[in-house]
Amino acid sequence: MKKGTVYALCGKIASGKSTYARQMMEISPALPLSCDELVRRIMPGDLGDAHDATLARVKDYLLRKAREAADCGVDVILDWGFWAREDRSAVRAYFADRGIPVKLYGIRISDEDWQANIRERNAAILAGENQIDYFVDDGLLSKLASLYEDPEEGELDLLVKISREKA
């Protein structure tokens, strides 16, 4: 049986990864797996000091589910950022060791559009229209910006440039 392909989406918070994942699914069926969605649906509210440990367990679980789906011939979209080079290398190795094709797609957005996405997301959260995404205040934005490592030349299989402009 042909194995499914795993697509790992790399990009900053609120860069358009989930929107792009939905667009990918319109073109070709795939199973989306999102750490944020799982954590926020099962454990709403602030996890505080337990957040990082919980997120690590969720990622491990979703990697195993992605492997099971790909082994059954189902394409999978991992929608969780892959901010660090080490994480990107690890996901490639994890699936390569199991004979599963993996593609790393980088999501890039202008700083202006990125800030607009964050404002829009925060407004939706405050209005109660969005209970999945995290509210991004200045402290969280600073922390996350310090963790994000731009992909190096040749690291990505595809670079996707996102724009808020409507064609």
Side-chain angles (χ1 to χ4, degrees), residues 43-143:
M43 297 166 268
D46 184 9
L47 295 175
D49 292 340
H51 181 269
D52 290 346
T54 301
L55 192 58
R57 288 194 315 272
V58 165
K59 285 180 179 180
D60 180 63
Y61 172 79
L62 291 180
L63 280 175
R64 286 186 280 124
K65 289 298 159 190
R67 183 193 71 227
E68 291 171 6
D71 281 340
C72 293
V74 176
D75 288 346
V76 178
I77 302 169
L78 300 180
D79 174 13
W80 67 65
F82 296 95
W83 296 342
R85 249 173 234 102
E86 180 181 330
D87 294 339
R88 296 188 292 267
S89 294
V91 77
R92 279 193 187 277
Y94 178 85
F95 290 107
D97 288 348
R98 290 156 177 82
I100 297 170
V102 62
K103 302 283 185 183
L104 185 62
Y105 285 10
I107 308 299
R108 184 154 305 147
I109 188 168
S110 73
D111 285 341
E112 182 179 289
D113 284 350
W114 183 50
Q115 292 295 329
N117 281 359
I118 291 170
R119 286 190 302 274
E120 186 177 285
R121 167 191 274 200
N122 285 346
I125 291 168
L126 291 174
E129 299 164 357
N130 179 339
Q131 298 176 351
I132 298 299
D133 293 321
Y134 292 94
F135 185 86
V136 182
D137 62 16
D138 290 340
L140 181 59
L141 188 60
S142 177
K143 175 185 177 183

